[in-house]
Amino acid sequence: MSSGRENYREDVAGRANVEDTPELLAYYDELEALEAGALWTVANKIEPWEPQSSSVPMIWRYRDLREHVLRSVELVTPEKAGRRVIYLNNPGRREFAAAVGWLYSGLQVMHPGEAASAHRHSASALRFIMEGSGAYTIVDGHKMTLNANDFVLTPNGTWHEHGVEESGSPCIWQDGLDIPLVNTLEANFYEVHPDLRQAVGFAVDDMTKTWGNPGLTPGGGAWDKGYSPLYKYEWERTYEALKRYADATDGSPYDGVMMEYINPVTSGPVMQTIGASMQMLRPGEKTKAHRHTGSYLYQVAKGKGYSIIGGKRLDWQERDIFCVPSWAWHEHANLSDSDDACLFCFNDLPVMRSLGLYREEALADNGGHQPQD
Amino acid sequence: MSSGRENYREDVAGRANVEDTPELLAYYDELEALEAGALWTVANKIEPWEPQSSSVPMIWRYRDLREHVLRSVELVTPEKAGRRVIYLNNPGRREFAAAVGWLYSGLQVMHPGEAASAHRHSASALRFIMEGSGAYTIVDGHKMTLNANDFVLTPNGTWHEHGVEESGSPCIWQDGLDIPLVNTLEANFYEVHPDLRQAVGFAVDDMTKTWGNPGLTPGGGAWDKGYSPLYKYEWERTYEALKRYADATDGSPYDGVMMEYINPVTSGPVMQTIGASMQMLRPGEKTKAHRHTGSYLYQVAKGKGYSIIGGKRLDWQERDIFCVPSWAWHEHANLSDSDDACLFCFNDLPVMRSLGLYREEALADNGGHQPQD
Amino acid sequence: MSSGRENYREDVAGRANVEDTPELLAYYDELEALEAGALWTVANKIEPWEPQSSSVPMIWRYRDLREHVLRSVELVTPEKAGRRVIYLNNPGRREFAAAVGWLYSGLQVMHPGEAASAHRHSASALRFIMEGSGAYTIVDGHKMTLNANDFVLTPNGTWHEHGVEESGSPCIWQDGLDIPLVNTLEANFYEVHPDLRQAVGFAVDDMTKTWGNPGLTPGGGAWDKGYSPLYKYEWERTYEALKRYADATDGSPYDGVMMEYINPVTSGPVMQTIGASMQMLRPGEKTKAHRHTGSYLYQVAKGKGYSIIGGKRLDWQERDIFCVPSWAWHEHANLSDSDDACLFCFNDLPVMRSLGLYREEALADNGGHQPQD
Amino acid sequence: MSSGRENYREDVAGRANVEDTPELLAYYDELEALEAGALWTVANKIEPWEPQSSSVPMIWRYRDLREHVLRSVELVTPEKAGRRVIYLNNPGRREFAAAVGWLYSGLQVMHPGEAASAHRHSASALRFIMEGSGAYTIVDGHKMTLNANDFVLTPNGTWHEHGVEESGSPCIWQDGLDIPLVNTLEANFYEVHPDLRQAVGFAVDDMTKTWGNPGLTPGGGAWDKGYSPLYKYEWERTYEALKRYADATDGSPYDGVMMEYINPVTSGPVMQTIGASMQMLRPGEKTKAHRHTGSYLYQVAKGKGYSIIGGKRLDWQERDIFCVPSWAWHEHANLSDSDDACLFCFNDLPVMRSLGLYREEALADNGGHQPQD
Ligand SMILES: [Fe+2]
Ligand SMILES: [Fe+2]
Ligand SMILES: [Fe+2]
Ligand SMILES: [Fe+2]
Ligand SMILES: [Fe+2]
Ligand SMILES: [Fe+2]
Ligand SMILES: [Fe+2]
Ligand SMILES: [Fe+2]
């Protein structure tokens, strides 16, 4: 019987399996008039056996995007555009302007002497610097200088603005935000700074100098915000940490030598909605496949290789960006036998963990490797 | 110029305001081919000034629903239906089967001697008992007896099943779940119990007897799960608590005498994704309006009155269910001068809090009361 | 060779075993002149194989103490005495005025109409009510009415005072404090209230009515002090809790049906330095022996029986007080076959736990029972 | 009347002030026979207005101690002595073998090729390296190489042993332990390793390489022990941290540029009973006086200057050790106008904080400086 109504039946004990009848269809109409419905018609749809992400595995190659990003400088001013950003659209998530899951990402460009106006919002943001010199970010009055592969936070509710010094060169960085998530949770607020510019109230890079020291905290230092006081994580120290850790660990079979960026006060994620990590694939390293809940967006910080994601091989090199959707199998390989490769990743892992929704699984079959399409 | 492309312009400093030109439209086409877009065309849309919920203020009256719920007993068996539930559709959230925001709710009915099969899922669930005697729930081998206005948890990942004793009467309860949230976060897993039934492995109501004592914990008791070990909150004790607290407090101007159900081990929410509260409006009490982020679904546990939500007056009496969408103004009134009224509420407040997204505001104008439509 | 110097030798590999020689003795003199010493002469003394408490197992019988406590009323006024208290001296701890370990305890008496002056100190205190009606305590402006077996806190740094209403009867209660500990840690401060009396600023018993409800917290309630906001734990509810818990548990082999009084906000101890528990020995119950670090002082709240502590049998009845020193074997027995017996205990368990020093051990031999002296 | 009994009277409202009478003295005798006493005779003694430490401000000069420490090599073998250590006796704390308060400290010497046997205890320990090369410590199978000013932990309950490589030079380090505290809390246990030696099971310095990286944790790293997994804090990185932090802070008026060594997982103290810090006094810096509860033992890691402690000036240079007793006023001065001075300190601050006993006060008079004796 074709009724035009949804009815997701499964012939499995414990699952809904009710056939449409004229009586039931009439009943469904009555329920609809009361803004109600019969659960058994949709139960199997809304209680799936396991997640099936609407995002697709995807890579954005820097060689394709870079010229378009640079061209935006000629096309729009920062004043009119707000920020000159080319954002990434996952084919399955276009309606949310999301690169994967509920995460937004874009590439922003600024020329020497330019600055974007200060504002704040409930969404949390990060930057990962791709190229250029002289870039800076100001967060709640703390100014930070930025170089390639530096990772910087502009957390939920902080005033922030970016610019490039007159003495610098054109700069491009990746923005990462939870805008889609905060919007869909109906909790996003936006405010333009009353002066459009912040005053810098502290020594440059003071937060990194104060909070970015191993095993030491500032005497009497107190910090109880929901995000890291270490606003900037410098590449030089991060890379040194990876190399030190590589001396002490066998690494993860799925991720090689992997470290999580943390809030040094809590040892938890850098922000309440966005986590980040940097991992090193040693020369020739090929990892095994696993999968987990949460959405992940990678940028290649160093080296070249490939990842197999959901059975699809994506070859990457420095500055390329690719995603792993929730519950998609994935494994990584470094194609160089002499150099390490480093992958920066930001994700919604803190959301998965805070809400008790994190789950992971190793691929048992085929020596831990996916068959490829 | 009409291009068919989105372009959300605002003539405000710090916001995007770029006019479409043929050159830009061509550029946008090129970006689209790269699975990318220009942020300034959508920035004002994805960064709204404040939340505008897609849910509408809504009431489901028990006198309308009850007969339909009871009728489902004649129409479907528990075996075929899985569970015999009529769920609530917010007009703005039908595609997600949500009653408000990302929260699902339904009314489930069972007859004496019936039982539903055991299963578990990543979604978290609660029940609030509406009528009937002899109902029980089993959670991970702990059996609980249920009476009107009792509140019971079946948390994320626990095996659970429900039934009504042969000696009981037809029972109706409200189910509340975060199914829409867990689905949209792409983290839902579902499993049918291998035996379709659990063995009861503990004294009946043992968790309430063990963990539900004021200011006392079981000696040597340890609990580190993400949810409350106090699976059942009995109405008699809850109502007594409200009356005791009413003796000691002036109450909240927005909520009267309000208490939150908690995990006694952490003093935090009962589950990681769903919070719940019970509030008493004293005879004649009329609260002032405020608003906050998060989605809220109320059931009238006792009494009669009305709430004004988003400027719309909704009159309610015992067993009616109504919602407050995110950031909607709301205020409550008890229409009796002699009896108190009690409102049960479940919500996604723990999500708002864990993710740093909770915000609230009191209505300043008009003596704190909304103008009504 | 007899040198008059300490030298604790043990003939065990890894322990110090250095014989005194004239050369060494001369060397020790030189060290002494520099305010230094040779570790190997004292190492075996200061690094014992296991704790040997300086406290002795001890019982103070109420039938002996009561008349002396009452007689103090004739002998001194509250004004001159500060507080009219007979304190308990453990024979091994007289120099510290301690009943066991670093815990002080005394019996305080007040007549109707009397009141003691308000003060505060770094030491934490508790009361356990023994007899009489009309007693009250005021803590930081919160007044509490007290009855037999009620347990009340006057934590570290809070203004407190006690009295008995004109309409009451002579009252006796047990005081418990960590005065010896706080003194030996050189951290005790004392202050007399500038007005000698506090104003009562809240509804009587408001803290118990607000925070003493199972599974519920006051809406918007916030509490971040180091001690419980539930200043008073009422006997009626405590005894009911024990009976409920007894229905749900087999109990501990060492302690019967035991519950810990907690700070409801943290589920941790009631104060940072003092913990407390109430345990029920079911009719005829005889527990097995175990031992643990920490010092424990018991008061018999109900019933009669005996405890074997460090091999010594101590028979007790209602209101008797006895102690278990650190690392002493102990086991308890209820001598009634029809009635339960209840033991109140306060201790320094929170100190042991906070400092990582808690350790426990069950007696393996002899069916878990101590041989008696 | 001279009775021979204690009676601490004060003529202050709210304090005990009871004159001895024949009747009272007889009463006191009766109480004594019951192992009891009258509180009012000792109340003013056991409830002092503020702490008066039994420790005295004290300095141990390395030029005095060093030769004695080295001479012990000729006098005793490690096998017979257990460890070759000269410990520091505070004149007020000799009975506890304590350098200040409840803290023990000693100087240990080892020659190349020597090793001490492995053991463990409930007391927590640390080392601060003073001179020599080739020293190592093994903690639970993790081997660490040690150089001057390195700070290393051997926490409560861990197997540990020390030695100097054959290729090294004679090494001296400072031991710091809470032995007196753990003894007085009657919670100390001691165990010799069954093999007298541990097997090394990890890469050398693996814990520092894994956990000692700023703002980064090992992926999937979990650590829930009560002490820091970062067993060794290297001087080079610590000094670099101080210099970085000095660029970002004005420093503390009482302590100059001060950082606390922390457990990187919790941001709390390195062990549950012992905290540690390193502070830099900038060239010519003279701090103001303050005081706080807790006991503090300093070693001069670099430079020369003086401290005024309890009104007494103590001049110090590199490797000298001095103490600040609880609640003693103290201030520090760097006597060089060109070089910084660095003070290492270990203390019982974690005990003060965990137990709610920390209190501090700035000196208001005399521009914040103490009058000197
Ligand atoms: Fe922004
Ligand atoms: Fe992964
Ligand atoms: Fe379910
Ligand atoms: Fe509200
Ligand atoms: Fe007191
Ligand atoms: Fe015990
Ligand atoms: Fe040791
Ligand atoms: Fe200090």
Side-chain angles (χ1 to χ4, degrees):
Chain A
M1 181 185 309
S2 164
S3 66
R5 284 206 172 272
E6 294 182 307
N7 191 353
Y8 297 84
R9 299 172 60 185
E10 287 181 37
D11 189 11
V12 176
R15 299 285 279 186
N17 189 14
V18 176
E19 193 177 9
D20 285 345
T21 64
E23 190 180 19
L24 278 170
L25 289 168
Y27 178 66
Y28 299 157
D29 288 343
E30 289 171 39
L31 292 177
E32 186 173 327
L34 296 168
E35 303 295 356
L39 176 61
W40 56 84
T41 61
V42 295
N44 297 337
K45 170 187 161 201
I46 69 177
E47 294 185 316
W49 296 98
E50 67 176 33
Q52 180 55 51
S53 181
S54 63
S55 299
V56 298
M58 184 65 202
I59 187 163
W60 293 266
R61 295 200 169 81
Y62 195 53
R63 62 175 173 266
D64 297 333
L65 286 174
R66 186 173 182 274
E67 65 175 306
H68 287 85
V69 171
L70 290 173
R71 210 179 130 215
S72 72
V73 178
E74 305 152 26
L75 293 171
V76 291
T77 63
E79 289 68 35
K80 290 216 152 178
R83 282 137 298 159
R84 240 194 256 102
V85 179
I86 302 310
Y87 71 98
L88 309 180
N89 257 329
N90 191 291
R93 304 292 287 170
R94 271 190 207 106
E95 65 179 306
F96 306 110
V100 62
W102 294 104
L103 295 172
Y104 160 97
S105 193
L107 303 192
Q108 184 162 174
V109 60
M110 273 197 173
H111 268 218
E114 288 184 346
S117 57
H119 61 276
R120 63 179 179 185
H121 36 66
S122 305
S124 290
L126 59 86
R127 328 281 151 195
F128 191 78
I129 312 308
M130 301 179 81
E131 62 173 85
S133 68
Y136 64 86
T137 284
I138 308 174
V139 175
D140 279 349
H142 299 272
K143 182 173 180 176
M144 287 160 280
T145 58
L146 302 173
N147 291 296
N149 286 346
D150 285 354
F151 165 50
V152 63
L153 311 179
T154 56
N156 176 353
T158 56
W159 292 113
H160 56 282
E161 63 189 277
H162 316 288
V164 175
E165 307 286 0
E166 291 283 359
S167 57
S169 62
C171 291
I172 300 179
W173 60 81
Q174 180 186 12
D175 290 328
L177 290 104
D178 60 3
I179 283 179
L181 178 68
V182 179
N183 282 340
T184 205
L185 293 176
E186 304 185 334
N188 213 355
F189 293 83
Y190 190 93
E191 214 174 334
V192 174
H193 195 284
D195 305 328
L196 296 180
R197 284 289 174 280
Q198 296 176 73
V200 175
F202 306 91
V204 170
D205 288 326
D206 72 311
M207 293 302 258
T208 296
K209 289 177 170 178
T210 298
W211 294 99
N213 297 297
L216 290 157
T217 47
W223 185 265
D224 62 5
K225 303 225 166 81
Y227 47 83
S228 171
L230 180 48
Y231 293 159
K232 180 178 65 163
Y233 298 76
E234 295 165 351
W235 168 241
E236 189 185 3
R237 299 186 144 236
T238 300
Y239 187 57
E240 185 194 356
L242 282 173
K243 286 188 295 185
R244 277 161 58 93
Y245 179 40
D247 279 350
T249 185
D250 292 335
S252 151
Y254 313 110
D255 284 305
V257 177
M258 182 171 180
M259 305 199 84
E260 287 189 46
Y261 293 98
I262 52 159
N263 176 339
V265 179
T266 61
S267 203
V270 294
M271 299 185 289
Q272 285 165 289
T273 47
I274 306 185
S277 60
M278 180 70 80
Q279 75 198 82
M280 175 191 281
L281 302 171
R282 289 159 292 195
E285 182 162 14
K286 284 185 175 48
T287 70
K288 293 191 172 183
H290 74 164
R291 61 180 177 176
H292 33 67
T293 51
S295 299
Y296 302 79
L297 198 66
Y298 291 81
Q299 185 188 131
V300 183
K302 185 167 181 294
K304 64 179 180 202
Y306 64 87
S307 298
I308 305 172
I309 303 168
K312 190 169 144 192
R313 172 168 165 159
L314 303 173
D315 279 79
W316 41 253
Q317 61 184 43
E318 208 171 296
R319 301 294 160 230
D320 288 348
I321 294 171
F322 62 90
C323 73
V324 173
S326 190
W327 208 236
W329 295 112
H330 55 285
E331 57 194 285
H332 309 292
N334 179 354
L335 279 173
S336 168
D337 286 328
S338 53
D339 295 319
D340 55 57
C342 294
L343 301 176
F344 169 78
C345 175
F346 77 89
N347 51 63
D348 61 359
L349 200 45
V351 175
M352 293 296 116
R353 288 178 173 154
S354 291
L355 305 186
L357 297 173
Y358 185 72
R359 184 189 287 215
E360 69 181 26
E361 189 178 31
L363 181 59
D365 300 335
N366 195 32
H369 295 288
Q370 302 162 74
Q372 292 175 52
D373 295 339
Chain B
M1 185 185 308
S2 164
S3 66
R5 285 205 170 272
E6 294 182 308
N7 189 351
Y8 297 83
R9 298 171 60 187
E10 284 182 39
D11 187 11
V12 176
R15 299 285 277 185
N17 189 15
V18 175
E19 194 177 7
D20 284 344
T21 64
E23 188 178 21
L24 279 170
L25 289 169
Y27 178 67
Y28 300 157
D29 288 342
E30 289 172 39
L31 292 177
E32 187 172 325
L34 297 168
E35 301 296 354
L39 176 61
W40 56 85
T41 63
V42 296
N44 297 335
K45 172 188 162 202
I46 69 177
E47 294 186 314
W49 295 98
E50 68 176 33
Q52 179 55 49
S53 180
S54 63
S55 298
V56 297
M58 183 65 201
I59 187 162
W60 292 266
R61 295 200 168 80
Y62 196 53
R63 64 176 170 265
D64 297 332
L65 287 174
R66 187 174 183 275
E67 65 174 309
H68 286 85
V69 170
L70 291 172
R71 214 181 126 212
S72 71
V73 177
E74 305 152 27
L75 294 170
V76 290
T77 64
E79 288 69 34
K80 292 217 152 179
R83 284 136 298 158
R84 238 194 257 104
V85 179
I86 302 311
Y87 70 98
L88 310 180
N89 257 329
N90 190 291
R93 305 291 287 168
R94 271 191 207 105
E95 64 180 308
F96 306 110
V100 62
W102 295 103
L103 296 172
Y104 160 97
S105 193
L107 302 192
Q108 183 161 177
V109 61
M110 274 196 172
H111 267 218
E114 290 184 344
S117 57
H119 62 275
R120 64 179 177 185
H121 36 65
S122 305
S124 292
L126 59 87
R127 326 283 151 196
F128 191 78
I129 313 307
M130 301 179 82
E131 62 173 84
S133 67
Y136 63 86
T137 284
I138 308 174
V139 175
D140 278 349
H142 300 272
K143 182 173 180 176
M144 288 160 279
T145 58
L146 302 173
N147 291 296
N149 287 345
D150 284 354
F151 165 51
V152 64
L153 310 179
T154 57
N156 177 353
T158 57
W159 292 113
H160 56 280
E161 63 189 276
H162 317 287
V164 175
E165 308 286 0
E166 290 284 359
S167 58
S169 62
C171 290
I172 301 178
W173 59 82
Q174 182 185 10
D175 291 329
L177 291 106
D178 59 2
I179 283 180
L181 178 69
V182 179
N183 282 339
T184 206
L185 292 177
E186 303 184 334
N188 212 357
F189 294 84
Y190 189 93
E191 214 175 335
V192 174
H193 194 284
D195 305 327
L196 295 180
R197 284 289 174 279
Q198 295 176 72
V200 175
F202 306 91
V204 170
D205 288 326
D206 72 311
M207 293 301 259
T208 295
K209 289 177 170 177
T210 299
W211 294 98
N213 297 297
L216 290 158
T217 46
W223 185 264
D224 61 5
K225 303 226 167 79
Y227 48 84
S228 172
L230 179 48
Y231 293 160
K232 181 179 66 162
Y233 299 76
E234 294 165 351
W235 168 240
E236 190 184 4
R237 298 185 145 235
T238 300
Y239 187 57
E240 186 194 357
L242 283 173
K243 286 189 294 185
R244 278 161 57 95
Y245 179 40
D247 280 350
T249 184
D250 293 334
S252 149
Y254 313 110
D255 283 305
V257 177
M258 182 169 181
M259 304 198 86
E260 287 189 46
Y261 293 97
I262 52 160
N263 175 340
V265 179
T266 61
S267 205
V270 294
M271 299 185 288
Q272 284 165 288
T273 47
I274 306 185
S277 60
M278 181 68 81
Q279 76 198 80
M280 176 191 281
L281 302 171
R282 289 158 292 197
E285 183 162 14
K286 285 183 175 51
T287 69
K288 293 191 172 183
H290 74 163
R291 61 181 177 175
H292 33 68
T293 51
S295 299
Y296 303 81
L297 197 68
Y298 291 81
Q299 184 188 132
V300 183
K302 184 168 182 293
K304 66 179 180 200
Y306 64 87
S307 298
I308 305 172
I309 301 168
K312 190 168 145 191
R313 174 168 164 160
L314 302 174
D315 280 78
W316 42 253
Q317 61 184 44
E318 209 170 295
R319 300 295 159 229
D320 288 348
I321 293 171
F322 62 90
C323 74
V324 173
S326 188
W327 206 238
W329 294 111
H330 55 283
E331 57 194 286
H332 308 293
N334 178 354
L335 279 172
S336 167
D337 287 328
S338 53
D339 295 319
D340 55 57
C342 294
L343 302 176
F344 169 77
C345 175
F346 76 90
N347 52 62
D348 60 1
L349 201 44
V351 176
M352 293 295 118
R353 287 178 174 155
S354 291
L355 304 187
L357 297 173
Y358 185 71
R359 184 188 287 213
E360 70 181 25
E361 187 178 34
L363 181 59
D365 301 335
N366 196 30
H369 294 289
Q370 300 162 76
Q372 291 174 53
D373 296 340
Chain C
M1 183 181 309
S2 164
S3 65
R5 285 206 172 271
E6 295 182 306
N7 190 354
Y8 297 83
R9 299 171 60 186
E10 286 181 38
D11 188 12
V12 176
R15 299 286 278 186
N17 189 14
V18 176
E19 194 178 7
D20 284 344
T21 65
E23 188 179 22
L24 279 170
L25 289 168
Y27 178 67
Y28 299 158
D29 288 342
E30 288 171 39
L31 292 177
E32 187 172 326
L34 297 169
E35 302 294 357
L39 176 62
W40 56 86
T41 62
V42 297
N44 296 337
K45 172 187 161 204
I46 68 177
E47 293 186 317
W49 296 98
E50 68 176 33
Q52 180 54 51
S53 181
S54 62
S55 299
V56 298
M58 183 66 202
I59 187 163
W60 293 266
R61 294 203 169 78
Y62 195 53
R63 61 176 174 266
D64 298 332
L65 287 175
R66 187 174 182 274
E67 64 174 309
H68 287 85
V69 170
L70 291 172
R71 212 179 127 214
S72 72
V73 177
E74 305 152 24
L75 293 170
V76 291
T77 61
E79 288 70 33
K80 290 217 153 178
R83 283 136 297 160
R84 241 195 255 101
V85 178
I86 303 310
Y87 72 97
L88 310 180
N89 257 330
N90 191 290
R93 304 292 286 167
R94 272 190 207 104
E95 64 179 308
F96 306 110
V100 61
W102 294 104
L103 294 173
Y104 159 98
S105 193
L107 302 192
Q108 184 161 178
V109 61
M110 273 196 173
H111 268 217
E114 289 183 346
S117 57
H119 62 275
R120 64 179 177 185
H121 36 65
S122 305
S124 291
L126 59 86
R127 329 280 150 195
F128 191 78
I129 312 306
M130 301 179 81
E131 61 173 86
S133 67
Y136 64 86
T137 284
I138 309 175
V139 175
D140 279 349
H142 299 271
K143 183 173 180 175
M144 287 160 281
T145 58
L146 303 173
N147 292 296
N149 286 346
D150 283 355
F151 165 50
V152 63
L153 310 178
T154 57
N156 176 354
T158 56
W159 292 112
H160 56 280
E161 64 189 276
H162 317 287
V164 176
E165 307 286 359
E166 290 285 359
S167 58
S169 62
C171 290
I172 300 179
W173 60 81
Q174 181 185 11
D175 289 330
L177 289 104
D178 58 3
I179 283 180
L181 177 68
V182 180
N183 283 338
T184 208
L185 292 177
E186 304 186 333
N188 212 356
F189 294 83
Y190 190 91
E191 213 175 335
V192 174
H193 194 283
D195 305 328
L196 297 180
R197 286 287 175 281
Q198 296 177 73
V200 175
F202 307 91
V204 171
D205 289 325
D206 72 311
M207 292 301 258
T208 296
K209 289 177 170 177
T210 299
W211 294 99
N213 297 297
L216 290 158
T217 45
W223 185 264
D224 61 6
K225 303 225 166 80
Y227 48 83
S228 171
L230 179 49
Y231 293 159
K232 182 178 64 161
Y233 299 76
E234 295 165 349
W235 168 242
E236 189 183 4
R237 298 186 145 234
T238 301
Y239 187 58
E240 186 194 356
L242 283 172
K243 286 188 295 184
R244 278 161 57 94
Y245 179 40
D247 280 349
T249 185
D250 293 333
S252 150
Y254 313 110
D255 284 305
V257 178
M258 182 170 180
M259 305 199 85
E260 287 189 46
Y261 293 99
I262 52 158
N263 174 341
V265 179
T266 62
S267 203
V270 294
M271 298 185 291
Q272 283 164 291
T273 48
I274 306 184
S277 60
M278 180 70 80
Q279 75 198 84
M280 175 190 282
L281 302 171
R282 288 156 294 195
E285 182 162 14
K286 284 184 175 48
T287 70
K288 295 191 169 181
H290 74 164
R291 61 180 177 176
H292 33 67
T293 51
S295 300
Y296 302 80
L297 198 67
Y298 291 81
Q299 186 188 129
V300 183
K302 183 168 182 293
K304 65 178 180 202
Y306 64 87
S307 298
I308 305 172
I309 301 168
K312 190 167 144 193
R313 173 168 163 160
L314 303 174
D315 279 79
W316 41 253
Q317 61 184 43
E318 207 171 298
R319 300 294 160 231
D320 289 347
I321 293 171
F322 62 91
C323 75
V324 174
S326 188
W327 208 234
W329 295 113
H330 55 283
E331 56 194 286
H332 309 293
N334 179 355
L335 280 172
S336 168
D337 286 330
S338 53
D339 295 318
D340 55 57
C342 294
L343 301 176
F344 169 77
C345 176
F346 76 90
N347 52 63
D348 61 359
L349 200 44
V351 176
M352 293 296 117
R353 287 178 173 154
S354 291
L355 304 186
L357 297 172
Y358 185 71
R359 185 189 288 214
E360 70 181 26
E361 188 179 32
L363 181 59
D365 300 337
N366 195 31
H369 295 288
Q370 302 162 76
Q372 291 176 52
D373 296 341
Chain D
M1 182 182 310
S2 164
S3 66
R5 283 205 173 273
E6 294 182 309
N7 189 352
Y8 297 83
R9 299 171 60 186
E10 284 181 40
D11 188 12
V12 175
R15 299 286 277 186
N17 189 15
V18 175
E19 195 177 6
D20 283 345
T21 64
E23 189 178 21
L24 278 171
L25 289 168
Y27 178 67
Y28 299 157
D29 287 343
E30 290 172 39
L31 291 178
E32 188 173 325
L34 297 168
E35 302 295 357
L39 176 61
W40 56 86
T41 63
V42 297
N44 297 336
K45 173 188 161 203
I46 68 177
E47 294 186 315
W49 295 98
E50 69 177 32
Q52 179 55 49
S53 181
S54 63
S55 299
V56 298
M58 185 61 201
I59 188 164
W60 293 266
R61 293 200 170 80
Y62 196 53
R63 62 175 173 266
D64 299 332
L65 288 174
R66 188 173 181 275
E67 64 175 308
H68 287 85
V69 170
L70 291 173
R71 213 179 127 214
S72 71
V73 178
E74 306 152 25
L75 294 170
V76 292
T77 62
E79 288 68 34
K80 292 216 151 180
R83 284 137 296 159
R84 239 195 257 102
V85 179
I86 303 310
Y87 71 97
L88 310 181
N89 257 330
N90 191 290
R93 304 292 287 168
R94 273 191 206 103
E95 65 180 306
F96 305 111
V100 62
W102 295 103
L103 296 173
Y104 160 98
S105 193
L107 302 194
Q108 184 161 177
V109 61
M110 275 197 170
H111 268 217
E114 290 183 346
S117 58
H119 62 276
R120 64 179 176 185
H121 36 66
S122 305
S124 291
L126 58 87
R127 326 283 150 196
F128 191 78
I129 312 308
M130 301 179 82
E131 61 174 87
S133 68
Y136 63 86
T137 284
I138 309 174
V139 175
D140 279 349
H142 299 272
K143 182 173 181 175
M144 288 159 282
T145 58
L146 302 173
N147 291 296
N149 287 344
D150 283 355
F151 164 52
V152 63
L153 310 179
T154 59
N156 177 353
T158 56
W159 293 112
H160 57 281
E161 64 189 274
H162 317 288
V164 175
E165 307 286 0
E166 291 284 358
S167 58
S169 62
C171 290
I172 301 178
W173 59 82
Q174 181 186 11
D175 289 330
L177 290 104
D178 59 2
I179 282 180
L181 177 69
V182 179
N183 283 339
T184 206
L185 293 177
E186 303 185 333
N188 212 357
F189 295 82
Y190 189 93
E191 214 174 335
V192 175
H193 194 283
D195 305 327
L196 296 180
R197 285 290 174 279
Q198 297 176 72
V200 175
F202 306 91
V204 171
D205 289 326
D206 72 310
M207 293 301 257
T208 296
K209 288 177 171 178
T210 300
W211 294 99
N213 297 297
L216 290 158
T217 47
W223 184 265
D224 61 6
K225 304 227 166 78
Y227 48 83
S228 171
L230 179 48
Y231 293 159
K232 180 177 67 160
Y233 299 75
E234 296 165 349
W235 168 241
E236 189 184 5
R237 298 186 146 235
T238 300
Y239 187 58
E240 185 194 357
L242 282 173
K243 287 188 294 185
R244 278 161 56 94
Y245 180 39
D247 280 350
T249 184
D250 292 334
S252 150
Y254 314 110
D255 284 305
V257 177
M258 181 171 182
M259 305 199 85
E260 289 189 44
Y261 292 98
I262 52 158
N263 175 339
V265 179
T266 63
S267 204
V270 293
M271 297 184 291
Q272 284 165 290
T273 48
I274 305 185
S277 60
M278 181 68 81
Q279 74 197 82
M280 175 190 282
L281 302 172
R282 290 157 292 196
E285 181 161 15
K286 286 184 175 49
T287 70
K288 294 191 171 181
H290 74 164
R291 60 180 177 178
H292 32 67
T293 51
S295 299
Y296 303 80
L297 198 67
Y298 291 82
Q299 184 187 133
V300 183
K302 183 168 182 294
K304 65 179 180 200
Y306 65 87
S307 297
I308 305 172
I309 302 168
K312 191 167 143 192
R313 173 168 164 161
L314 303 173
D315 281 78
W316 41 255
Q317 60 185 44
E318 210 171 296
R319 300 294 160 230
D320 289 348
I321 294 172
F322 62 90
C323 74
V324 174
S326 189
W327 208 235
W329 294 112
H330 56 284
E331 57 195 285
H332 309 293
N334 178 354
L335 279 172
S336 167
D337 286 329
S338 53
D339 293 320
D340 55 59
C342 293
L343 301 176
F344 170 76
C345 175
F346 76 90
N347 52 63
D348 62 359
L349 201 45
V351 176
M352 294 295 118
R353 286 178 174 154
S354 289
L355 305 186
L357 297 173
Y358 185 71
R359 185 188 287 214
E360 69 181 26
E361 188 179 33
L363 180 59
D365 300 336
N366 194 33
H369 294 288
Q370 300 162 76
Q372 292 175 53
D373 295 341

